Every structure is written in C-alpha cells, then in structure tokens.
Amino acid sequence: SRGLGDVYKRQPLYTKYLDQGKRQDNHNPEGHARRRLENHINGKLGSLLSLMKELGLVHPIAVGNSKNYELSKRGHIVLADHTEVIE
C-alpha cells in the first residue's frame, strides 16, 4: 500500500499546502498555502544562487540594502556554450 507521501509526489505543492492548512483548521488555508509556497520557492532560489556562486557563475553586487547577482566571466562562457538558438 502507498503512504500519503506518494500522493503528494503527484500533487502540486500549493495543493499540498492548502490541504495541510485545512487539516490544521487554519482560518485562512489559502493564505497558509501561499506563504508556505513562497517560503519554499525562496529557499530553493537561495540554494541555487549559493551553488552558482560556489561554481563561479555569478558574483554578488550590493545595491543599497539588497544583494543582486551578476554573471561572472565564467558564467557568460557557460551560458554561451549552453544556449541554443531556436528559429
């Protein structure tokens, strides 16, 4: 028999978080789902940027209180090597 984990593998994360909010009797399950999905996406993006920094593909540049990223020379080379023109 399959567990609940198998059901969630085929289900969008938003739906998973919405169901979670309903099970927890959250007063606003949609808001719960949006917050959880936003946190999930931000975590994944942060991990991806960290990995790209580690590989030398981007480097951070500070703009005021926020941190932006710029392609490094190596990043430009990798992008050019793996970009395909579709006509």
Side-chain angles (χ1 to χ4, degrees):
S1 107
R2 294 192 301 232
L4 282 178
D6 293 331
V7 172
Y8 287 134
K9 288 178 186 172
R10 293 181 297 250
Q11 197 174 43
L13 274 177
Y14 180 81
T15 305
K16 173 186 171 184
Y17 295 142
L18 184 61
D19 291 346
Q20 184 182 60
K22 290 175 183 175
R23 273 195 324 276
Q24 293 174 355
D25 201 24
N26 195 305
H27 71 282
N28 182 4
E30 292 86 6
H32 170 81
R34 280 194 305 271
R35 281 189 306 278
R36 288 290 309 268
L37 188 57
E38 182 179 326
N39 289 339
H40 176 79
I41 291 169
N42 286 339
K44 292 290 183 183
L45 286 174
S47 296
L48 180 61
L49 283 169
S50 179
L51 179 61
M52 290 175 72
K53 274 190 341 188
E54 205 172 301
L55 293 171
L57 301 176
V58 297
H59 53 83
I61 52 173
V63 178
N65 286 337
S66 64
K67 189 190 304 180
N68 293 329
Y69 293 88
E70 181 176 66
L71 274 178
S72 65
K73 186 175 181 179
R74 182 178 185 178
H76 281 286
I77 293 168
V78 169
L79 183 63
D81 288 347
H82 293 88
T83 299
E84 180 181 330
V85 176
I86 301 173
E87 295 181 27

